[in-house]
Amino acid sequence: MKTLIREKRTEKNMTQEELSQLLKVSRQTIISLEKGKYKPSLVLAHKLAQIFECSIEDLFIFEGDENV
């Protein structure tokens, strides 16, 4: 899964630490999300979409068998 979290975060001039505090997760979680190594829960994905004022689909790009 590819994400656009880093791009959206930098557009808002937000640090990983600031985003992690808003979401009440660790900075390591943000790093993993940005690298596509962690698939968020629906609740976390929804919170991210709210923060960045976009849809979940605008943040996460599913590839290959992940669409099944």
Side-chain angles (χ1 to χ4, degrees):
M1 177 173 59
K2 194 174 169 186
T3 74
L4 298 175
I5 296 170
R6 175 176 282 150
E7 291 82 351
K8 296 284 189 183
R9 179 178 58 75
T10 55
E11 283 174 13
K12 287 195 172 262
N13 295 316
M14 187 182 294
T15 65
Q16 290 175 334
E17 185 63 34
E18 290 168 334
L19 182 56
S20 71
Q21 289 174 0
L22 283 174
L23 294 169
K24 295 181 171 70
V25 299
S26 70
R27 187 172 151 270
Q28 186 61 42
T29 298
I30 302 303
I31 292 167
S32 295
L33 282 167
E34 289 184 351
K35 291 182 176 181
K37 294 184 177 185
Y38 174 72
K39 294 180 183 176
S41 68
L42 184 55
V43 171
L44 184 55
H46 187 275
K47 287 180 181 179
L48 282 161
Q50 286 183 317
I51 289 169
F52 295 126
E53 301 171 349
C54 65
S55 69
I56 292 172
E57 291 85 1
D58 290 337
L59 289 174
F60 301 96
I61 300 159
F62 295 94
E63 301 169 328
D65 292 338
E66 292 175 317
N67 287 327
V68 176

Short mmCIF file of all heavy atoms in Angstrom, two decimals:
data_model
loop_
_atom_site.label_atom_id
_atom_site.label_comp_id
_atom_site.label_asym_id
_atom_site.label_seq_id
_atom_site.Cartn_x
_atom_site.Cartn_y
_atom_site.Cartn_z
N MET A 1 0.85 -1.17 0.00
CA MET A 1 0.00 0.00 0.00
C MET A 1 0.89 1.23 0.00
O MET A 1 1.82 1.33 0.77
CB MET A 1 -0.90 -0.01 1.24
CG MET A 1 -1.75 1.21 1.35
SD MET A 1 -2.96 1.13 2.68
CE MET A 1 -1.95 0.92 4.10
N LYS A 2 0.57 2.15 -0.86
CA LYS A 2 1.29 3.40 -0.97
C LYS A 2 0.49 4.49 -0.26
O LYS A 2 -0.74 4.46 -0.29
CB LYS A 2 1.45 3.73 -2.46
CG LYS A 2 2.42 4.79 -2.78
CD LYS A 2 2.56 4.87 -4.29
CE LYS A 2 3.32 6.11 -4.66
NZ LYS A 2 3.37 6.33 -6.10
N THR A 3 1.18 5.42 0.41
CA THR A 3 0.47 6.49 1.09
C THR A 3 0.98 7.86 0.65
O THR A 3 2.11 7.99 0.20
CB THR A 3 0.62 6.40 2.62
OG1 THR A 3 1.93 6.82 2.99
CG2 THR A 3 0.35 5.01 3.14
N LEU A 4 0.12 8.84 0.83
CA LEU A 4 0.48 10.22 0.55
C LEU A 4 0.49 11.05 1.84
O LEU A 4 0.37 12.26 1.81
CB LEU A 4 -0.51 10.82 -0.46
CG LEU A 4 -0.53 10.14 -1.82
CD1 LEU A 4 -1.61 10.72 -2.70
CD2 LEU A 4 0.82 10.24 -2.50
N ILE A 5 0.67 10.37 2.96
CA ILE A 5 0.65 11.04 4.25
C ILE A 5 1.79 12.05 4.37
O ILE A 5 1.57 13.18 4.80
CB ILE A 5 0.69 10.02 5.40
CG1 ILE A 5 -0.58 9.16 5.37
CG2 ILE A 5 0.83 10.73 6.76
CD1 ILE A 5 -0.55 7.97 6.28
N ARG A 6 2.98 11.65 3.99
CA ARG A 6 4.13 12.57 4.08
C ARG A 6 3.88 13.84 3.27
O ARG A 6 4.13 14.95 3.74
CB ARG A 6 5.41 11.90 3.61
CG ARG A 6 6.60 12.87 3.59
CD ARG A 6 7.88 12.20 3.21
NE ARG A 6 8.34 11.48 4.39
CZ ARG A 6 9.06 10.37 4.36
NH1 ARG A 6 9.41 9.82 3.21
NH2 ARG A 6 9.44 9.80 5.46
N GLU A 7 3.37 13.67 2.05
CA GLU A 7 3.10 14.83 1.19
C GLU A 7 2.06 15.75 1.80
O GLU A 7 2.23 16.98 1.84
CB GLU A 7 2.64 14.37 -0.20
CG GLU A 7 3.73 13.70 -1.02
CD GLU A 7 3.96 12.22 -0.70
OE1 GLU A 7 3.40 11.69 0.29
OE2 GLU A 7 4.70 11.59 -1.46
N LYS A 8 0.98 15.17 2.31
CA LYS A 8 -0.08 15.97 2.94
C LYS A 8 0.43 16.66 4.20
O LYS A 8 0.10 17.81 4.46
CB LYS A 8 -1.29 15.09 3.29
CG LYS A 8 -1.98 14.47 2.10
CD LYS A 8 -2.83 15.47 1.38
CE LYS A 8 -3.69 14.79 0.33
NZ LYS A 8 -4.47 15.76 -0.43
N ARG A 9 1.26 15.95 4.96
CA ARG A 9 1.80 16.51 6.20
C ARG A 9 2.72 17.70 5.91
O ARG A 9 2.62 18.74 6.55
CB ARG A 9 2.56 15.42 6.98
CG ARG A 9 3.19 15.90 8.27
CD ARG A 9 3.88 14.78 9.00
NE ARG A 9 4.92 14.11 8.25
CZ ARG A 9 6.14 14.63 8.02
NH1 ARG A 9 6.47 15.81 8.46
NH2 ARG A 9 7.03 13.92 7.34
N THR A 10 3.58 17.55 4.90
CA THR A 10 4.51 18.64 4.58
C THR A 10 3.77 19.83 3.96
O THR A 10 4.19 20.97 4.17
CB THR A 10 5.66 18.17 3.67
OG1 THR A 10 5.12 17.56 2.50
CG2 THR A 10 6.56 17.18 4.38
N GLU A 11 2.69 19.57 3.24
CA GLU A 11 1.87 20.67 2.70
C GLU A 11 1.33 21.55 3.83
O GLU A 11 1.16 22.75 3.66
CB GLU A 11 0.68 20.14 1.90
CG GLU A 11 1.03 19.64 0.52
CD GLU A 11 -0.16 18.99 -0.18
OE1 GLU A 11 -1.32 19.15 0.29
OE2 GLU A 11 0.07 18.31 -1.20
N LYS A 12 1.05 20.93 4.98
CA LYS A 12 0.52 21.65 6.13
C LYS A 12 1.64 22.12 7.07
O LYS A 12 1.35 22.62 8.17
CB LYS A 12 -0.46 20.78 6.91
CG LYS A 12 -1.78 20.59 6.20
CD LYS A 12 -2.81 20.05 7.16
CE LYS A 12 -4.17 20.05 6.54
NZ LYS A 12 -4.98 21.19 6.92
N ASN A 13 2.90 21.97 6.64
CA ASN A 13 4.05 22.36 7.47
C ASN A 13 3.97 21.75 8.86
O ASN A 13 4.19 22.41 9.86
CB ASN A 13 4.17 23.88 7.56
CG ASN A 13 4.47 24.50 6.22
OD1 ASN A 13 5.31 24.01 5.48
ND2 ASN A 13 3.77 25.57 5.89
N MET A 14 3.65 20.47 8.90
CA MET A 14 3.48 19.75 10.15
C MET A 14 4.60 18.74 10.31
O MET A 14 4.99 18.08 9.35
CB MET A 14 2.12 19.03 10.09
CG MET A 14 1.69 18.37 11.36
SD MET A 14 0.09 17.51 11.16
CE MET A 14 -1.00 18.87 10.88
N THR A 15 5.12 18.62 11.51
CA THR A 15 6.16 17.63 11.78
C THR A 15 5.52 16.29 12.08
O THR A 15 4.31 16.21 12.40
CB THR A 15 7.04 18.04 12.97
OG1 THR A 15 6.23 18.03 14.16
CG2 THR A 15 7.67 19.41 12.78
N GLN A 16 6.32 15.24 12.03
CA GLN A 16 5.83 13.91 12.41
C GLN A 16 5.38 13.91 13.86
O GLN A 16 4.38 13.30 14.21
CB GLN A 16 6.92 12.86 12.19
CG GLN A 16 7.22 12.59 10.75
CD GLN A 16 8.39 11.64 10.57
OE1 GLN A 16 9.26 11.54 11.43
NE2 GLN A 16 8.41 10.97 9.43
N GLU A 17 6.10 14.62 14.69
CA GLU A 17 5.76 14.69 16.12
C GLU A 17 4.41 15.38 16.32
O GLU A 17 3.58 14.91 17.11
CB GLU A 17 6.85 15.43 16.89
CG GLU A 17 6.66 15.46 18.38
CD GLU A 17 6.68 14.09 19.04
OE1 GLU A 17 7.43 13.21 18.57
OE2 GLU A 17 5.95 13.89 20.03
N GLU A 18 4.17 16.47 15.62
CA GLU A 18 2.90 17.18 15.74
C GLU A 18 1.74 16.29 15.30
O GLU A 18 0.70 16.25 15.96
CB GLU A 18 2.92 18.47 14.91
CG GLU A 18 3.83 19.54 15.48
CD GLU A 18 4.08 20.69 14.52
OE1 GLU A 18 3.98 20.49 13.28
OE2 GLU A 18 4.38 21.79 15.01
N LEU A 19 1.93 15.59 14.19
CA LEU A 19 0.88 14.70 13.70
C LEU A 19 0.64 13.56 14.69
O LEU A 19 -0.51 13.21 14.97
CB LEU A 19 1.24 14.15 12.31
CG LEU A 19 0.22 13.23 11.66
CD1 LEU A 19 -1.14 13.91 11.54
CD2 LEU A 19 0.72 12.78 10.29
N SER A 20 1.70 13.02 15.23
CA SER A 20 1.55 11.91 16.19
C SER A 20 0.78 12.36 17.43
O SER A 20 -0.05 11.62 17.96
CB SER A 20 2.90 11.32 16.57
OG SER A 20 3.64 12.20 17.39
N GLN A 21 1.02 13.59 17.87
CA GLN A 21 0.30 14.11 19.03
C GLN A 21 -1.19 14.31 18.73
O GLN A 21 -2.04 14.00 19.57
CB GLN A 21 0.93 15.41 19.50
CG GLN A 21 2.28 15.21 20.15
CD GLN A 21 2.99 16.51 20.50
OE1 GLN A 21 2.48 17.60 20.27
NE2 GLN A 21 4.19 16.39 21.06
N LEU A 22 -1.51 14.81 17.53
CA LEU A 22 -2.91 14.99 17.15
C LEU A 22 -3.64 13.65 17.12
O LEU A 22 -4.82 13.56 17.50
CB LEU A 22 -3.01 15.63 15.77
CG LEU A 22 -2.77 17.13 15.67
CD1 LEU A 22 -2.75 17.57 14.21
CD2 LEU A 22 -3.86 17.89 16.42
N LEU A 23 -2.95 12.61 16.65
CA LEU A 23 -3.56 11.29 16.51
C LEU A 23 -3.45 10.43 17.76
O LEU A 23 -4.03 9.35 17.83
CB LEU A 23 -2.91 10.55 15.33
CG LEU A 23 -3.15 11.15 13.96
CD1 LEU A 23 -2.24 10.50 12.93
CD2 LEU A 23 -4.60 11.00 13.57
N LYS A 24 -2.65 10.90 18.72
CA LYS A 24 -2.39 10.13 19.95
C LYS A 24 -1.76 8.77 19.65
O LYS A 24 -2.18 7.73 20.16
CB LYS A 24 -3.67 9.98 20.77
CG LYS A 24 -4.19 11.31 21.28
CD LYS A 24 -5.43 11.13 22.11
CE LYS A 24 -5.87 12.37 22.80
NZ LYS A 24 -6.40 13.44 22.04
N VAL A 25 -0.76 8.82 18.76
CA VAL A 25 0.04 7.64 18.44
C VAL A 25 1.51 8.03 18.55
O VAL A 25 1.83 9.21 18.69
CB VAL A 25 -0.25 7.10 17.00
CG1 VAL A 25 -1.71 6.67 16.88
CG2 VAL A 25 0.10 8.11 15.94
N SER A 26 2.39 7.07 18.47
CA SER A 26 3.82 7.37 18.55
C SER A 26 4.34 7.94 17.23
O SER A 26 3.73 7.75 16.16
CB SER A 26 4.61 6.11 18.89
OG SER A 26 4.59 5.22 17.79
N ARG A 27 5.45 8.63 17.30
CA ARG A 27 6.08 9.15 16.09
C ARG A 27 6.51 7.99 15.20
O ARG A 27 6.47 8.08 13.98
CB ARG A 27 7.29 10.02 16.47
CG ARG A 27 7.89 10.73 15.28
CD ARG A 27 8.97 11.73 15.73
NE ARG A 27 9.95 11.86 14.67
CZ ARG A 27 11.04 11.12 14.54
NH1 ARG A 27 11.31 10.18 15.42
NH2 ARG A 27 11.86 11.29 13.54
N GLN A 28 6.88 6.87 15.80
CA GLN A 28 7.27 5.68 15.04
C GLN A 28 6.10 5.17 14.20
O GLN A 28 6.29 4.71 13.08
CB GLN A 28 7.76 4.57 15.99
CG GLN A 28 8.31 3.37 15.28
CD GLN A 28 9.52 3.68 14.41
OE1 GLN A 28 10.40 4.42 14.82
NE2 GLN A 28 9.56 3.13 13.22
N THR A 29 4.89 5.29 14.70
CA THR A 29 3.70 4.90 13.94
C THR A 29 3.57 5.78 12.70
O THR A 29 3.29 5.28 11.61
CB THR A 29 2.43 5.00 14.81
OG1 THR A 29 2.55 4.09 15.91
CG2 THR A 29 1.18 4.68 14.01
N ILE A 30 3.82 7.07 12.85
CA ILE A 30 3.75 8.00 11.71
C ILE A 30 4.81 7.63 10.68
O ILE A 30 4.54 7.58 9.48
CB ILE A 30 3.92 9.47 12.16
CG1 ILE A 30 2.86 9.86 13.19
CG2 ILE A 30 3.91 10.41 10.96
CD1 ILE A 30 1.43 9.70 12.73
N ILE A 31 6.01 7.33 11.14
CA ILE A 31 7.10 6.93 10.24
C ILE A 31 6.69 5.68 9.46
O ILE A 31 6.84 5.61 8.24
CB ILE A 31 8.41 6.69 11.03
CG1 ILE A 31 8.94 8.01 11.57
CG2 ILE A 31 9.46 6.00 10.16
CD1 ILE A 31 10.04 7.86 12.62
N SER A 32 6.15 4.69 10.16
CA SER A 32 5.72 3.44 9.51
C SER A 32 4.58 3.67 8.53
O SER A 32 4.54 3.08 7.45
CB SER A 32 5.30 2.42 10.57
OG SER A 32 6.41 2.05 11.35
N LEU A 33 3.65 4.55 8.89
CA LEU A 33 2.54 4.88 7.99
C LEU A 33 3.08 5.53 6.72
O LEU A 33 2.67 5.18 5.61
CB LEU A 33 1.57 5.84 8.66
CG LEU A 33 0.59 5.24 9.66
CD1 LEU A 33 -0.07 6.34 10.47
CD2 LEU A 33 -0.44 4.40 8.95
N GLU A 34 3.99 6.48 6.87
CA GLU A 34 4.53 7.20 5.72
C GLU A 34 5.31 6.28 4.79
O GLU A 34 5.32 6.49 3.58
CB GLU A 34 5.40 8.36 6.18
CG GLU A 34 4.61 9.49 6.79
CD GLU A 34 5.42 10.71 7.18
OE1 GLU A 34 6.67 10.66 7.15
OE2 GLU A 34 4.80 11.72 7.51
N LYS A 35 5.94 5.27 5.35
CA LYS A 35 6.71 4.33 4.53
C LYS A 35 5.84 3.20 3.97
O LYS A 35 6.33 2.36 3.22
CB LYS A 35 7.85 3.73 5.36
CG LYS A 35 8.94 4.73 5.69
CD LYS A 35 10.05 4.07 6.48
CE LYS A 35 11.17 5.06 6.73
NZ LYS A 35 12.28 4.44 7.46
N GLY A 36 4.58 3.17 4.35
CA GLY A 36 3.68 2.13 3.88
C GLY A 36 3.92 0.79 4.53
O GLY A 36 3.48 -0.25 4.04
N LYS A 37 4.59 0.79 5.68
CA LYS A 37 4.89 -0.46 6.39
C LYS A 37 3.84 -0.82 7.43
O LYS A 37 3.91 -1.87 8.03
CB LYS A 37 6.27 -0.36 7.06
CG LYS A 37 7.39 -0.25 6.06
CD LYS A 37 8.73 -0.25 6.74
CE LYS A 37 9.83 -0.21 5.69
NZ LYS A 37 11.14 -0.33 6.27
N TYR A 38 2.91 0.08 7.65
CA TYR A 38 1.87 -0.14 8.65
C TYR A 38 0.53 0.21 8.03
O TYR A 38 0.36 1.29 7.47
CB TYR A 38 2.15 0.74 9.88
CG TYR A 38 1.07 0.71 10.93
CD1 TYR A 38 0.89 -0.42 11.72
CD2 TYR A 38 0.25 1.81 11.14
CE1 TYR A 38 -0.10 -0.44 12.69
CE2 TYR A 38 -0.73 1.79 12.11
CZ TYR A 38 -0.91 0.67 12.88
OH TYR A 38 -1.88 0.65 13.84
N LYS A 39 -0.41 -0.70 8.11
CA LYS A 39 -1.76 -0.46 7.60
C LYS A 39 -2.62 -0.01 8.78
O LYS A 39 -2.81 -0.76 9.73
CB LYS A 39 -2.33 -1.73 6.97
CG LYS A 39 -1.57 -2.12 5.72
CD LYS A 39 -2.14 -3.37 5.11
CE LYS A 39 -1.30 -3.77 3.92
NZ LYS A 39 -1.74 -5.02 3.33
N PRO A 40 -3.13 1.21 8.70
CA PRO A 40 -3.87 1.75 9.84
C PRO A 40 -5.26 1.13 9.97
O PRO A 40 -5.81 0.61 9.01
CB PRO A 40 -3.98 3.24 9.49
CG PRO A 40 -4.03 3.24 8.01
CD PRO A 40 -3.08 2.15 7.59
N SER A 41 -5.78 1.24 11.17
CA SER A 41 -7.18 0.85 11.39
C SER A 41 -8.06 1.84 10.64
O SER A 41 -7.61 2.93 10.24
CB SER A 41 -7.51 0.89 12.88
OG SER A 41 -7.48 2.25 13.33
N LEU A 42 -9.30 1.48 10.46
CA LEU A 42 -10.24 2.38 9.79
C LEU A 42 -10.40 3.67 10.59
O LEU A 42 -10.48 4.76 10.02
CB LEU A 42 -11.59 1.68 9.62
CG LEU A 42 -12.66 2.45 8.86
CD1 LEU A 42 -12.17 2.86 7.48
CD2 LEU A 42 -13.91 1.61 8.74
N VAL A 43 -10.39 3.56 11.90
CA VAL A 43 -10.53 4.75 12.75
C VAL A 43 -9.34 5.69 12.55
O VAL A 43 -9.52 6.90 12.38
CB VAL A 43 -10.67 4.34 14.25
CG1 VAL A 43 -10.60 5.55 15.16
CG2 VAL A 43 -11.96 3.57 14.47
N LEU A 44 -8.13 5.14 12.53
CA LEU A 44 -6.94 5.97 12.34
C LEU A 44 -6.92 6.58 10.94
O LEU A 44 -6.60 7.76 10.78
CB LEU A 44 -5.67 5.14 12.58
CG LEU A 44 -4.34 5.90 12.51
CD1 LEU A 44 -4.32 7.09 13.44
CD2 LEU A 44 -3.19 4.96 12.80
N ALA A 45 -7.29 5.82 9.94
CA ALA A 45 -7.35 6.33 8.57
C ALA A 45 -8.37 7.48 8.48
O ALA A 45 -8.12 8.49 7.82
CB ALA A 45 -7.72 5.21 7.60
N HIS A 46 -9.49 7.32 9.15
CA HIS A 46 -10.52 8.36 9.16
C HIS A 46 -10.01 9.63 9.84
O HIS A 46 -10.23 10.75 9.35
CB HIS A 46 -11.78 7.85 9.86
CG HIS A 46 -12.94 8.76 9.78
ND1 HIS A 46 -13.12 9.80 10.66
CD2 HIS A 46 -13.96 8.83 8.90
CE1 HIS A 46 -14.22 10.45 10.34
NE2 HIS A 46 -14.74 9.89 9.27
N LYS A 47 -9.31 9.48 10.96
CA LYS A 47 -8.74 10.64 11.66
C LYS A 47 -7.73 11.36 10.78
O LYS A 47 -7.70 12.60 10.74
CB LYS A 47 -8.08 10.21 12.97
CG LYS A 47 -9.05 9.82 14.05
CD LYS A 47 -8.31 9.41 15.30
CE LYS A 47 -9.26 8.98 16.40
NZ LYS A 47 -8.54 8.56 17.63
N LEU A 48 -6.90 10.62 10.07
CA LEU A 48 -5.93 11.22 9.16
C LEU A 48 -6.63 12.02 8.07
O LEU A 48 -6.25 13.15 7.76
CB LEU A 48 -5.05 10.14 8.53
CG LEU A 48 -3.92 9.58 9.39
CD1 LEU A 48 -3.45 8.24 8.85
CD2 LEU A 48 -2.78 10.58 9.47
N ALA A 49 -7.68 11.43 7.51
CA ALA A 49 -8.44 12.12 6.45
C ALA A 49 -9.07 13.40 6.98
O ALA A 49 -9.08 14.42 6.27
CB ALA A 49 -9.50 11.18 5.89
N GLN A 50 -9.55 13.37 8.20
CA GLN A 50 -10.13 14.58 8.80
C GLN A 50 -9.07 15.66 8.99
O GLN A 50 -9.30 16.83 8.68
CB GLN A 50 -10.78 14.26 10.14
CG GLN A 50 -12.09 13.52 10.00
CD GLN A 50 -12.74 13.28 11.34
OE1 GLN A 50 -12.07 12.92 12.32
NE2 GLN A 50 -14.05 13.48 11.40
N ILE A 51 -7.91 15.28 9.49
CA ILE A 51 -6.82 16.24 9.72
C ILE A 51 -6.40 16.89 8.41
O ILE A 51 -6.19 18.10 8.35
CB ILE A 51 -5.63 15.55 10.41
CG1 ILE A 51 -5.98 15.23 11.87
CG2 ILE A 51 -4.37 16.42 10.33
CD1 ILE A 51 -4.99 14.34 12.58
N PHE A 52 -6.30 16.09 7.36
CA PHE A 52 -5.82 16.59 6.08
C PHE A 52 -6.96 17.07 5.16
O PHE A 52 -6.71 17.46 4.03
CB PHE A 52 -4.97 15.54 5.38
CG PHE A 52 -3.70 15.23 6.13
CD1 PHE A 52 -3.39 13.92 6.47
CD2 PHE A 52 -2.83 16.23 6.50
CE1 PHE A 52 -2.22 13.62 7.16
CE2 PHE A 52 -1.66 15.94 7.20
CZ PHE A 52 -1.36 14.63 7.53
N GLU A 53 -8.20 17.01 5.68
CA GLU A 53 -9.37 17.49 4.96
C GLU A 53 -9.47 16.88 3.55
O GLU A 53 -9.55 17.58 2.54
CB GLU A 53 -9.36 19.03 4.88
CG GLU A 53 -9.36 19.67 6.25
CD GLU A 53 -9.14 21.16 6.22
OE1 GLU A 53 -8.77 21.72 5.17
OE2 GLU A 53 -9.35 21.79 7.28
N CYS A 54 -9.41 15.56 3.53
CA CYS A 54 -9.52 14.82 2.27
C CYS A 54 -10.18 13.48 2.56
O CYS A 54 -10.52 13.18 3.70
CB CYS A 54 -8.13 14.62 1.66
SG CYS A 54 -7.02 13.58 2.62
N SER A 55 -10.36 12.69 1.53
CA SER A 55 -10.95 11.37 1.73
C SER A 55 -9.84 10.35 2.04
O SER A 55 -8.65 10.61 1.78
CB SER A 55 -11.70 10.92 0.48
OG SER A 55 -10.79 10.67 -0.57
N ILE A 56 -10.23 9.24 2.59
CA ILE A 56 -9.28 8.16 2.88
C ILE A 56 -8.60 7.71 1.59
O ILE A 56 -7.39 7.46 1.57
CB ILE A 56 -9.98 6.98 3.59
CG1 ILE A 56 -10.43 7.41 4.99
CG2 ILE A 56 -9.07 5.76 3.66
CD1 ILE A 56 -11.28 6.40 5.72
N GLU A 57 -9.37 7.67 0.51
CA GLU A 57 -8.83 7.25 -0.79
C GLU A 57 -7.75 8.21 -1.30
O GLU A 57 -6.90 7.82 -2.09
CB GLU A 57 -9.95 7.13 -1.82
CG GLU A 57 -10.89 5.99 -1.56
CD GLU A 57 -12.01 6.34 -0.57
OE1 GLU A 57 -12.08 7.50 -0.09
OE2 GLU A 57 -12.79 5.45 -0.25
N ASP A 58 -7.80 9.47 -0.86
CA ASP A 58 -6.77 10.44 -1.25
C ASP A 58 -5.45 10.21 -0.52
O ASP A 58 -4.42 10.71 -0.93
CB ASP A 58 -7.24 11.87 -0.98
CG ASP A 58 -8.35 12.31 -1.91
OD1 ASP A 58 -8.48 11.74 -3.01
OD2 ASP A 58 -9.10 13.23 -1.53
N LEU A 59 -5.50 9.47 0.58
CA LEU A 59 -4.30 9.22 1.39
C LEU A 59 -3.65 7.86 1.12
O LEU A 59 -2.44 7.72 1.25
CB LEU A 59 -4.65 9.29 2.88
CG LEU A 59 -4.96 10.65 3.46
CD1 LEU A 59 -5.41 10.51 4.91
CD2 LEU A 59 -3.74 11.55 3.37
N PHE A 60 -4.47 6.87 0.79
CA PHE A 60 -3.97 5.51 0.64
C PHE A 60 -4.24 4.97 -0.75
O PHE A 60 -5.38 5.01 -1.23
CB PHE A 60 -4.61 4.59 1.68
CG PHE A 60 -4.35 5.03 3.09
CD1 PHE A 60 -5.26 5.81 3.78
CD2 PHE A 60 -3.16 4.71 3.72
CE1 PHE A 60 -5.01 6.24 5.07
CE2 PHE A 60 -2.88 5.15 5.01
CZ PHE A 60 -3.81 5.91 5.69
N ILE A 61 -3.22 4.47 -1.40
CA ILE A 61 -3.35 3.91 -2.74
C ILE A 61 -3.10 2.41 -2.64
O ILE A 61 -2.00 1.98 -2.28
CB ILE A 61 -2.35 4.57 -3.71
CG1 ILE A 61 -2.64 6.07 -3.76
CG2 ILE A 61 -2.44 3.93 -5.08
CD1 ILE A 61 -1.49 6.89 -4.24
N PHE A 62 -4.13 1.63 -2.90
CA PHE A 62 -4.02 0.19 -2.81
C PHE A 62 -3.50 -0.36 -4.13
O PHE A 62 -3.90 0.07 -5.19
CB PHE A 62 -5.37 -0.42 -2.46
CG PHE A 62 -5.85 -0.02 -1.11
CD1 PHE A 62 -6.69 1.06 -0.95
CD2 PHE A 62 -5.45 -0.72 0.01
CE1 PHE A 62 -7.13 1.46 0.32
CE2 PHE A 62 -5.87 -0.34 1.28
CZ PHE A 62 -6.72 0.75 1.43
N GLU A 63 -2.60 -1.32 -4.03
CA GLU A 63 -1.97 -1.90 -5.22
C GLU A 63 -2.13 -3.41 -5.22
O GLU A 63 -2.18 -4.04 -4.16
CB GLU A 63 -0.48 -1.55 -5.24
CG GLU A 63 -0.22 -0.06 -5.24
CD GLU A 63 1.24 0.28 -4.98
OE1 GLU A 63 1.91 -0.46 -4.25
OE2 GLU A 63 1.68 1.29 -5.52
N GLY A 64 -2.22 -3.99 -6.37
CA GLY A 64 -2.24 -5.45 -6.50
C GLY A 64 -3.40 -6.11 -5.81
O GLY A 64 -4.54 -5.69 -5.91
N ASP A 65 -3.11 -7.18 -5.06
CA ASP A 65 -4.13 -8.00 -4.42
C ASP A 65 -4.80 -7.32 -3.23
O ASP A 65 -5.74 -7.85 -2.68
CB ASP A 65 -3.52 -9.31 -3.94
CG ASP A 65 -3.09 -10.21 -5.09
OD1 ASP A 65 -3.63 -10.03 -6.21
OD2 ASP A 65 -2.22 -11.06 -4.89
N GLU A 66 -4.32 -6.16 -2.84
CA GLU A 66 -4.90 -5.48 -1.69
C GLU A 66 -6.33 -5.02 -1.95
O GLU A 66 -7.06 -4.77 -1.02
CB GLU A 66 -4.05 -4.27 -1.31
CG GLU A 66 -2.70 -4.66 -0.77
CD GLU A 66 -1.81 -3.46 -0.52
OE1 GLU A 66 -1.77 -2.55 -1.34
OE2 GLU A 66 -1.16 -3.47 0.55
N ASN A 67 -6.73 -4.89 -3.21
CA ASN A 67 -8.08 -4.46 -3.54
C ASN A 67 -9.11 -5.56 -3.34
O ASN A 67 -10.31 -5.31 -3.41
CB ASN A 67 -8.16 -3.96 -4.99
CG ASN A 67 -7.48 -2.62 -5.16
OD1 ASN A 67 -7.50 -1.80 -4.26
ND2 ASN A 67 -6.87 -2.41 -6.30
N VAL A 68 -8.68 -6.77 -3.10
CA VAL A 68 -9.59 -7.90 -2.97
C VAL A 68 -10.28 -7.86 -1.62
O VAL A 68 -9.76 -7.56 -0.63
CB VAL A 68 -8.84 -9.24 -3.14
CG1 VAL A 68 -9.76 -10.41 -2.91
CG2 VAL A 68 -8.24 -9.29 -4.51
#
